[in-house]
Each structure stands twice: as C-alpha cells, then as structure tokens.
Amino acid sequence: QISEKLPLGFTFSFPVSQTSLTSGSLISWTKGFSASGVEGEDIIRLLRDALARRKDSDVDVVALVNDTTGTMMSRALLDSDCQIGLILGTGTNACYMESLSAVGKWAHPKQPGVDKVAINTEWGAFGDNGVLDDVFTEFDKVLDQKISINPGKQLFEKTISGMYLGEIVRLVCVKLIDSGLLFKGQAAPAFSEKFKFESKYVSTVEEGDDSVAATQQILSGLGVTASEDDCKLVRRVCAAVSTRAARLAAAGISTIVDKIDTAQRCTVAVDGSLYKYHPQFSKRMAACLDELLPQGHGVVMKEASDGSGRGAALVAAVAVRLSSQK
C-alpha cells in the first residue's frame, strides 16, 4: 500500500495534438487499434477520469510523452549527441530535436535558455498524400486497400513496420504460388489466411547462414510441404521485403539528419521489436545510411531497450523537480 501520490509519465504511441506537457488530443488511431469515443478527446483527461473511477490509485499524471520522444530522452541521458529517436516495432515513427526558430507552428511563450523542442514527425503517415505512389507495389496496394483497417492511411508505416512485413511476404508468396513458381503451384491453405505468416517468421528465416532449416521448420509448422528450392525462394522474399523496409527507414533518418544540419556526431536512439529481433535490420540500415550521407557522417544508431518507458519516467522526474522549484 503506497500512501503518497505517485507521479506518472504516460507513454502514448499514437498521433496527438499536444498543447502542454499534460494535455493532448488523439488525432487518430494507428497500428490496427481502434476504440470509440477517444479520437479528438484529451487522453490525459480520459486517463485521469479512469484512474479516479478505480478509487484505489493515487496517481498524478505529470507528463505525456510519445514513445519516440521517450526513446530519445532515455538515450540522451547517457549520450549528449543523441538528437533523434526512432521506433521500429509493431509500428514506426521518429522524432528529433529542432531549433525553436525553425518551428513556425510554435504558439507557446518561449522560456529563457530554451532554444530547442522535440518534434514528433509521425512519419508513419508519410505518403498519405500520394508521394509514395511510385514506391508502392501491387502487394502494398492490396495490403492497404483490402486488408488493413485504415485504407489510405499510415502508408509509410505499412512498408516498414513489424505489423505488416509478414503479410507483405505472404502476399508475394501467394502470387508466386499462383504463377507456379512456389510449392509447384499447389494451393497452401496457410498462405490464404490473412496475417498467418507472422513477421517474427521473417526474422527467424533470416537468422544464421543460408541454411534452409529454419525456413523448412516454419513452413512445416504451417502445414506446408516445401522443397529446398521452395525454402530458398521464401527466404529470398523475406530478405527483399525486410531489406526494403530497412532502406526506407534509413532514408527517413537521413532526411532528418539533413534537416537538422547536425554537427559531426549524431546518435539515433532506436527501440522496438523489429530493430531488436530482426538479425539483419540494423546492418542494412547502417549500410544504407553510409550510401545516403556524406563520407564520415558520424551518425550512429544505438539501441535504447525499453527506451519509451524509461524516457517517460525521466521526463516525469524532471517535471516533478521543476514543479517543486516553483
């Protein structure tokens, strides 16, 4: 039993119009989530109301933090060069530190000694206006329009995040089966079921050497009889889909680096299951950054395990300290 009020840093991984450290309205649900009566509402007010209804928790919500910002803050505590936060998990998003003078939408009083602000890019929605049409394949279009619950939205996220990579692989395999190039053209019921080929399988398939053993085991578990050539082809599809995702994520980071015109050193704090568990993702991202940025760019990616939670706790601690000094 805790007798004193507990300060809480609340990590909320969805697009929010944030008006202060403790208020913000949900713009829209993403990553396949949906709950009525929340969009357009102040989520901190809703959380406080829910806590009050329980009557068994004395909690003071002192900070609302996006998961990207939390990740960046958790790493910045140890690394002063950290200026970018990146989430690569079920969904994807990025934030960065921007000069206040460059933020035209800033409508709050400027505080003495404060010249930068964290910008949550919500880059998962990049492409919703059509600028990614040339990048989208026929499989992306089927996923977006016929399978996802939010057609036309979060298009960049649908090409990168862990929620969708396995489904893209499945759709490619379905076409290969229909073309007689995979499983001798014989129907595979597991590949006819939406989201049956999970994204974790993509990571497992690409682990280790070029052995087909892992792929064979996964396909067998799905009830599919596959030859060695079948396994090699599925592995190639997984590699193509995940490589594209890694390179698109790297392209986004390189654009942010160009935007902030950072000095020689810049750390990107990364959290999320895709980055953590896919055996090749971080290497492919790093290789692409080397292609896109000037030689000797000094941009490094560092994993920030549970960075979103730790960062929210850090922001909450700072908020409590500043409040006590007033």
Side-chain angles (χ1 to χ4, degrees):
Q1 184 70 27
I2 300 175
S3 58
E4 61 184 31
K5 185 182 289 289
L6 289 175
L8 172 70
F10 181 38
T11 299
F12 193 71
S13 308
F14 301 93
V16 168
S17 176
Q18 190 162 355
T19 53
S20 73
L21 190 58
T22 55
S23 62
S25 300
L26 174 65
I27 297 173
S28 62
W29 289 112
T30 58
K31 298 183 281 288
F33 286 83
S34 182
S36 61
V38 184
E39 292 184 354
E41 298 294 327
D42 187 333
I43 56 174
I44 296 299
R45 178 183 58 78
L46 294 177
L47 176 58
R48 285 172 171 163
D49 290 347
L51 288 168
R53 287 195 298 270
R54 287 180 58 92
K55 298 180 180 179
D56 60 356
S57 303
D58 194 9
V59 176
D60 183 18
V61 185
V62 298
L64 169 62
V65 183
N66 183 263
D67 54 353
T68 57
T69 307
T71 297
M72 179 175 67
M73 293 299 292
S74 68
R75 184 70 200 179
L77 180 65
L78 307 172
D79 183 351
S80 60
D81 292 322
C82 185
Q83 299 185 61
I84 300 173
L86 173 63
I87 296 293
L88 289 166
T90 303
T92 183
N93 191 16
C95 74
Y96 68 99
M97 294 303 298
E98 179 64 278
S99 298
L100 269 176
S101 59
V103 183
K105 293 183 178 180
W106 187 260
H108 306 285
K110 294 184 179 180
Q111 301 180 21
V114 178
D115 59 358
K116 287 194 173 184
V117 63
I119 298 293
N120 170 19
T121 68
E122 287 297 338
W123 80 4
F126 178 61
D128 292 6
N129 61 352
V131 296
L132 284 181
D133 288 356
D134 290 339
V135 175
F136 253 43
T137 66
E138 60 185 283
F139 312 107
D140 298 311
K141 293 174 183 176
V142 170
L143 171 64
D144 175 48
Q145 295 296 320
K146 297 184 179 181
I147 297 176
S148 75
I149 67 171
N150 55 345
K153 297 180 179 179
Q154 299 296 114
L155 298 186
F156 196 51
E157 183 168 80
K158 289 173 182 173
T159 64
I160 294 176
S161 73
M163 181 172 181
Y164 302 104
L165 292 189
E167 184 64 359
I168 296 174
V169 168
R170 185 190 71 83
L171 291 171
V172 175
C173 288
V174 167
K175 181 169 185 177
L176 292 172
I177 294 170
D178 292 344
S179 302
L181 300 174
L182 185 63
F183 310 142
K184 297 180 179 179
Q186 297 177 358
F191 281 86
S192 299
E193 185 177 338
K194 296 175 183 178
F195 292 102
K196 186 68 173 180
F197 196 90
E198 301 176 32
S199 292
K200 66 179 181 181
Y201 298 156
V202 179
S203 298
T204 303
V205 163
E206 293 197 70
E207 278 183 326
D209 54 25
D210 290 333
S211 169
V212 299
T215 311
Q216 184 81 61
Q217 184 175 7
I218 288 171
L219 293 176
S220 177
L222 293 172
V224 178
T225 300
S227 67
E228 182 175 343
D229 286 342
D230 288 332
C231 293
K232 288 180 178 178
L233 184 51
V234 171
R235 183 183 173 99
R236 285 187 65 185
V237 173
C238 289
V241 171
S242 62
T243 296
R244 182 187 72 156
R247 292 179 67 85
L248 286 171
I253 291 299
S254 69
T255 301
I256 291 175
V257 171
D258 288 341
K259 172 69 172 64
I260 61 179
D261 192 23
T262 184
Q264 285 296 308
R265 295 178 58 83
C266 176
T267 300
V268 181
V270 193
D271 193 12
S273 56
L274 178 60
Y275 187 85
K276 184 175 182 179
Y277 295 116
H278 191 288
Q280 308 297 331
F281 208 91
S282 61
K283 299 173 187 176
R284 290 169 181 164
M285 276 194 71
C288 187
L289 284 173
D290 287 342
E291 293 178 33
L292 297 173
L293 296 173
Q295 187 174 5
H297 53 76
V299 176
V300 294
M301 294 182 298
K302 296 289 186 179
E303 186 178 339
S305 184
D306 192 25
S308 57
R310 293 171 184 266
L314 174 62
V315 173
V318 173
V320 170
R321 188 185 67 179
L322 292 176
S323 178
S324 66
Q325 293 175 352
K326 291 182 179 179

